Amino acid sequence: MTETYSAATTAPAASSDDRTLAYVNYVLLMISPFTGYITAIVALVLAYIKVGGAHPIEKSHFNAQISLFWWQLFLSLVAVGLFIAGVFAVGLDALVQYAEFGEDAIPLNGLIWMAISFGIGGLMFVGLFFWMIIAPIIGMGRLSNHQPNGRMV
């Protein structure tokens, strides 16, 4: 006897283990700002391991967790780049001012650029801090309502 499979039967059945792991990953992501983001790396590895064989709803949550990690890392690197640019601006302006005015030089332009870049970078870090706490809470709410998080891939 030959069995036929429809699209509905080819998807893996929802596993309570996958759902539990999705919750655990959200908690790991939520506490990651307080642990130096070590727990976010653990959540990333676990999500990559489970995403392939998960039910579509849990798969969407694992994909969202992976995306959250990579976006957070990218935006953190941009913020660090702004901090470095601010320090570089002060140093470069100090050299230019010293060459022009000697010991009476005040690197005012560099200080202004440093304040701007530090302000933007600092706001980015504060926003990322809260994003890494709020996004997992939203994801857990969707998971508890059996809703996908983001696109169903």
Side-chain angles (χ1 to χ4, degrees):
M1 186 152 100
T2 309
E3 293 182 8
T4 58
Y5 293 97
S6 68
T9 60
T10 58
S15 165
S16 64
D17 292 340
D18 288 345
R19 182 173 295 278
T20 301
L21 184 61
Y23 279 118
V24 168
N25 275 0
Y26 279 128
V27 171
L28 290 172
L29 288 168
M30 194 175 4
I31 65 172
S32 66
F34 307 103
T35 64
Y37 295 96
I38 300 298
T39 57
I41 295 169
V42 173
L44 176 73
V45 170
L46 292 173
Y48 269 123
I49 290 171
K50 283 302 213 176
V51 73
H55 184 266
I57 289 178
E58 283 80 11
K59 184 176 183 175
S60 74
H61 286 274
F62 290 132
N63 283 327
Q65 293 163 357
I66 291 167
S67 178
L68 177 65
F69 175 86
W70 289 115
W71 275 108
Q72 185 276 331
L73 179 65
F74 171 71
L75 293 173
S76 292
L77 291 175
V78 170
V80 168
L82 286 169
F83 279 109
I84 292 170
V87 172
F88 181 72
V90 169
L92 183 63
D93 192 41
L95 288 174
V96 170
Q97 294 293 324
Y98 184 77
E100 190 173 335
F101 298 109
E103 291 183 13
D104 295 332
I106 299 173
L108 187 58
N109 290 334
L111 290 172
I112 291 170
W113 283 109
M114 183 183 80
I116 291 170
S117 65
F118 275 30
I120 294 170
L123 287 174
M124 285 180 71
F125 276 126
V126 169
L128 287 169
F129 176 83
F130 287 111
W131 182 35
M132 288 299 286
I133 295 170
I134 294 169
I137 291 171
I138 292 169
M140 284 191 285
R142 290 179 180 159
L143 184 61
S144 68
N145 291 329
H146 303 283
Q147 297 174 338
N149 194 0
R151 295 179 281 132
M152 292 280 289
V153 182

